[in-house]
Amino acid sequence: METDAPGSAVIARAMRDGRMVLTEPEAADLLAGYGILGPREILAPTAEGAVDAARRLGFPVVLKVCSPDILHKSDVGGVRLGLTDGRGVRAAFDELESLVGACGARWIGILVQEQLAADLELIVGARFDPTFGPVVLVGFGGIQAELLEDRVVRLAPVDGVAARRMLAELRGGRLLAGYRGRPGADVEALADLVAATSRLASALPIEELDLNPVLVRWGGPGAVPVDRRVVLRSPGADAARPESAGDARAAVRRLFSPASVAVIGASRDTSKIGSRVLRFLTRHGFPGPIFTVHPRGETILDGVPTVRSIEELPHGVEVACVAVPPEACEPVIRACGAQGIGAAIVFTSGFAEAGEAAAERRLVAAARAAGVRFCGPNSLGILNPDAGFCGSFSGALVMTPHPGGEIAYLSQSGALGGAFMSRLWERGIGVCRFVSVGNQADLDLADYVEALIDDPAVRVFALFVEGVTDGRKLLRSLRRARDHGKPVVVYKAGRSREGQVAIRSHTGALAGDDVVWTAALRQAGAIRVTDIHGLFDAAVALAWQPPPSGRRVGIISTSGGACGILADECRERGFEVPELPPSTQKRVEAEIPSFGAARNPIDVTAQMLTRPEMLRNVLRILAEEPQVDAILLMLTTLADPLAEEVTGQLAATVQGLSKPVLVSWLVARSLAAKGMARLTEAKLPLYDTPERAVHALAALAEWPRLGSGD
């Protein structure tokens, strides 16, 4: 907490009293220090005092229970509205005083507040997210806030410009600006309120802050919060993770491209992790020296030198592949550091993921003391096919990694990582860098992104994320990747956690974990996908095709029904399917049968089977049409060998094209394997359903707009 920040004295006093929730008068004092003013109000300890306060404020008035033990006044019936005379105030006071006594809550008094008229009710709030820190929210609703779910979330700090943008993004944002001749609300006052809330949440240890409702009038000045709730955060709850020693970027680069490797924990049992790592290293042609460490010095694999201890390794070994029991990891890491091995992959499980967090902390401490940076523990390993380095025990390595590739795949799930890589390889798509980050006890996702931003082989990042400790660090790395022209696509597992969060405040419920992740990734300029297939669908499109300059899509298919499906999907994702200009329609009509459709979507019909050049010619026409920004092509039952001929023509047509072309092809892969291979070789993204093609196009169109101005 900034001890000189406005409101710090109020918070310090509450904490000295052992309270983590401010009373509403305390909250009002705190907020006033940031220019956030509520209605006129008076705290009354007696009924006569309440009547006198109401007369001074002017009827009608509102009475509210004021107790540090009652968090949600409305839940216990602790509010009385529309009181218009002294008799009503006295009766309401007595009822509320009895209610506090029945609850066993501490008594402070009753807050008498002027009742303000309103045309709209909004909510402004903040909460401390354990991953990303202070988060700010604005939305519509009052008591209907959770029902309407019209809200926008941003990570703090939020200035006035960003606050106005948040208000404009609300579905009801047009109401605030004025609608059908009705004057708007005071948007500037609302934006100032959001920005002030951001400053407060950034400066003070606030767990949750609710300003709900915030009242606004059509054409009237101001935005007034009439109910305020502030929950404090325990000191030290957001303690920063200590920095580890050593250069993370240099260590990650060494892990991806080591000159020499030692496998510690291999044996003649080929089912053991260390043995699998050793065999995959040799099988896939690691070009540098490989050593094994075995206490008996027995040969594990012909041609691979074995030593009895780490101390006997020659100097200059760059990376250790560690697959020993958990209790042996600490001494192994210390010995590696003493031998000058500064980087390691720790495959061993049995640490924090198994409830052994203390053992993991000891491993990190040992690594820091030894000057060793490591991947893991509980890692599946690291792959860099370009360097011939397959430091992994993944069953996917029974296959040969597909060469080349532009995608860096960083995964918190090792098993899923290997599974999806194998599917990409099967389709002829390479992954240039892969890392299973494991528990991220030392090196984390942000470290890998940072180290690979300058890697010329990497064009796109695909991240499978379960959770991170330092969310702000990750976002900084994602924004740097974006600034370097390298898109990041993220699949965040555990989306249902939002529904499991047991927080009853509006801000806590509306700015749940999943909502915050979505807002944070957007601010960082990353694309979030909601299904695992979409992670690679989007990554491939971003790696292979240019983003469209607009949202106008030209559709070509061999089926009228397919045309309709694609058009519907496009409209659902915010794309236009414009009718082609008459001159362009005439050009299309000259290429297709008279019973085809030339307006857009274009149905070339099954006659394409007898005139395969028809598809190529129509594609060329759309490529030249300035009112089309992107092209979706959908093929149905087109099989080899004709498929290979047709796709060869398409591949030649799209070379050097400045607008994206994506293909959806519904036929069984076994019927058109050669044709599909031609598309992949030409870097034409290929999808097995129209929905996946459109979703990938949406990611391609979204990326240039993300992260700007948030």
Side-chain angles (χ1 to χ4, degrees):
M1 178 173 67
E2 299 178 17
T3 55
D4 59 345
S8 56
V10 174
I11 290 177
R13 186 165 56 249
M15 286 185 170
R16 282 197 301 271
D17 294 343
R19 292 186 290 112
M20 301 306 290
V21 180
L22 300 184
T23 64
E24 193 155 359
E26 288 175 328
D29 289 345
L30 174 72
L31 294 165
Y34 292 84
I36 302 173
L37 303 178
R40 294 181 302 132
E41 58 193 14
I42 299 171
L43 181 64
T46 65
E48 289 304 318
V51 173
D52 180 64
R55 288 171 177 157
R56 289 162 58 190
L57 294 172
F59 294 103
V61 295
V62 178
L63 265 60
K64 299 179 179 180
V65 163
C66 190
S67 168
D69 303 322
I70 298 177
L71 300 184
H72 301 277
K73 296 180 287 293
S74 58
D75 286 356
V76 298
V79 180
R80 297 291 185 273
L81 300 169
L83 303 173
T84 57
D85 56 34
R87 180 180 300 176
V89 168
R90 186 175 288 104
F93 185 100
D94 292 342
E95 290 175 6
L96 294 175
E97 185 176 30
S98 298
L99 183 151
V100 173
C103 292
R106 284 173 287 180
W107 168 262
I108 291 179
I110 296 297
L111 193 64
V112 184
Q113 194 177 80
E114 65 175 334
Q115 182 161 326
L116 301 176
D119 294 309
L120 282 177
E121 294 186 354
L122 285 88
I123 173 174
V124 175
R127 60 164 282 213
F128 184 84
D129 183 85
T131 300
F132 296 107
V135 173
V136 180
L137 170 143
V138 63
F140 278 88
I143 62 172
Q144 289 86 30
E146 294 174 19
L147 176 66
L148 296 177
E149 290 192 342
D150 185 8
R151 80 284 196 185
V152 175
V153 174
R154 289 287 188 280
L155 272 59
V158 172
D159 61 15
V161 174
R164 286 189 289 275
R165 188 175 293 111
M166 291 174 69
L167 292 166
E169 288 178 15
L170 291 166
R171 291 195 302 275
R174 292 175 64 189
L175 290 174
L176 298 177
Y179 185 64
R180 290 190 175 180
R182 177 181 290 166
D186 191 342
V187 174
E188 288 302 314
L190 275 169
D192 290 344
L193 177 59
V194 173
T197 301
S198 169
R199 291 194 298 274
L200 187 158
S202 299
L204 299 173
I206 302 297
E207 183 68 30
E208 288 183 37
L209 165 63
D210 275 337
L211 306 178
N212 183 40
V214 174
L215 305 183
V216 297
R217 298 296 305 269
W218 300 129
V224 184
V226 297
D227 202 4
R228 300 139 299 190
R229 194 179 75 92
V230 178
V231 180
L232 306 179
R233 189 171 73 255
S234 299
D238 55 329
R241 176 179 175 178
E243 288 292 326
S244 55
D247 184 346
R249 185 179 285 107
V252 171
R253 288 173 178 168
R254 189 178 302 122
L255 285 167
F256 276 108
S257 300
S260 53
V261 177
V263 180
I264 305 168
S267 72
R268 289 181 175 175
D269 184 347
T270 57
S271 68
K272 298 293 186 181
I273 287 176
S275 304
R276 290 170 64 88
V277 172
L278 178 61
R279 281 163 173 76
F280 287 142
L281 280 169
T282 58
R283 174 175 179 171
H284 295 298
F286 178 67
I290 304 173
F291 303 90
T292 59
V293 179
H294 191 279
R296 292 193 296 274
E298 61 186 31
T299 299
I300 307 302
L301 194 65
D302 289 342
V304 178
T306 302
V307 298
R308 294 178 182 273
S309 68
I310 294 170
E311 291 76 8
E312 294 179 23
L313 286 168
H315 286 282
V317 173
E318 290 195 340
V319 168
C321 295
V322 180
V324 298
E327 63 274 11
C329 285
E330 285 181 57
V332 162
I333 289 295
R334 283 194 291 267
C336 285
Q339 194 64 13
I341 304 173
I345 306 170
V346 181
F347 300 96
T348 308
S349 301
F351 289 94
E353 86 287 351
E356 297 294 335
E360 186 163 297
R361 288 193 294 270
R362 290 194 298 270
L363 178 63
V364 172
R368 289 177 180 171
V372 177
R373 304 304 303 264
F374 68 91
C375 171
N378 189 34
S379 170
L380 186 78
I382 291 176
L383 302 182
N384 178 359
D386 294 343
F389 180 62
C390 294
S392 171
F393 64 92
S394 172
L397 288 171
V398 172
M399 301 172 66
T400 299
H402 198 277
E406 299 93 350
I407 299 170
Y409 177 21
L410 316 180
S411 178
Q412 281 186 262
S413 171
L416 286 177
F420 279 97
M421 255 193 316
S422 69
R423 297 183 66 171
L424 291 172
W425 294 340
E426 186 179 52
R427 292 165 55 191
I429 299 171
V431 173
C432 62
R433 308 289 181 264
F434 167 75
V435 58
S436 160
V437 299
N439 293 1
Q440 304 184 89
D442 178 29
L443 296 169
D444 59 19
L445 280 166
D447 293 320
Y448 297 107
V449 172
E450 282 286 345
L452 294 174
I453 285 173
D454 298 325
D455 188 331
V458 176
R459 293 190 62 184
V460 176
F461 289 91
L463 273 60
F464 181 100
V465 181
E466 293 172 350
V468 296
T469 301
D470 189 342
R472 297 273 175 155
K473 178 184 175 184
L474 176 63
L475 296 184
R476 287 193 297 272
S477 70
L478 301 188
R479 182 170 284 280
R480 252 184 41 86
R482 191 207 182 285
D483 291 343
H484 280 71
K486 297 192 175 185
V488 181
V489 187
V490 179
Y491 174 83
K492 171 63 175 67
R495 287 183 293 135
S496 62
R497 284 186 61 195
E498 180 187 6
Q500 300 167 4
V501 175
I503 302 174
R504 299 186 67 189
S505 79
H506 285 134
T507 297
L510 293 174
D513 292 353
D514 196 61
V515 174
V516 174
W517 267 97
T518 297
L521 291 172
R522 177 180 176 182
Q523 282 180 257
I527 296 167
R528 184 177 186 184
V529 295
T530 56
D531 68 90
I532 190 65
H533 289 292
L535 177 62
F536 301 104
D537 289 348
V540 169
L542 287 157
W544 289 356
Q545 292 291 302
S549 58
R551 301 189 70 85
R552 299 168 300 180
V553 180
I555 295 172
I556 311 170
S557 182
T558 56
S559 158
C563 286
I565 293 171
L566 277 173
D568 289 345
E569 287 294 323
C570 283
R571 292 188 180 101
E572 286 193 14
R573 296 303 296 249
F575 290 106
E576 299 176 51
V577 183
E579 183 174 332
L580 298 175
S583 59
T584 303
Q585 288 188 44
K586 287 181 180 179
R587 291 182 64 192
V588 173
E589 287 169 352
E591 296 291 343
I592 66 175
S594 59
F595 50 87
R599 299 172 64 181
N600 192 30
I602 299 171
D603 178 12
V604 300
T605 78
Q607 288 297 309
M608 187 272 300
L609 297 174
T610 61
R611 288 182 52 220
E613 70 278 4
M614 187 190 311
L615 206 59
R616 174 198 63 199
N617 294 343
V618 172
L619 176 61
R620 185 177 292 131
I621 292 169
L622 286 191
E624 296 170 355
E625 171 52 54
Q627 294 190 33
V628 169
D629 303 309
I631 300 170
L632 288 173
L633 176 60
M634 186 166 172
L635 304 175
T636 51
T637 313
L638 176 63
D640 290 330
L642 181 60
E644 187 177 12
E645 177 187 348
V646 170
T647 54
Q649 293 176 2
L650 296 177
T653 303
V654 301
Q655 293 305 307
L657 195 61
S658 61
K659 60 181 68 173
V661 179
L662 283 71
V663 181
S664 172
W665 200 342
L666 304 185
V667 75
R669 183 170 290 272
S670 59
L671 292 179
K674 292 182 178 179
M676 292 182 181
R678 292 294 295 271
L679 293 183
T680 301
E681 290 165 6
K683 299 191 182 302
L684 268 171
L686 176 62
Y687 304 100
D688 60 6
T689 68
E691 294 86 355
R692 290 176 65 177
V694 175
H695 292 180
L697 179 60
L700 197 59
E702 180 183 15
W703 181 70
R705 301 183 296 106
L706 290 174
S708 58
D710 284 323

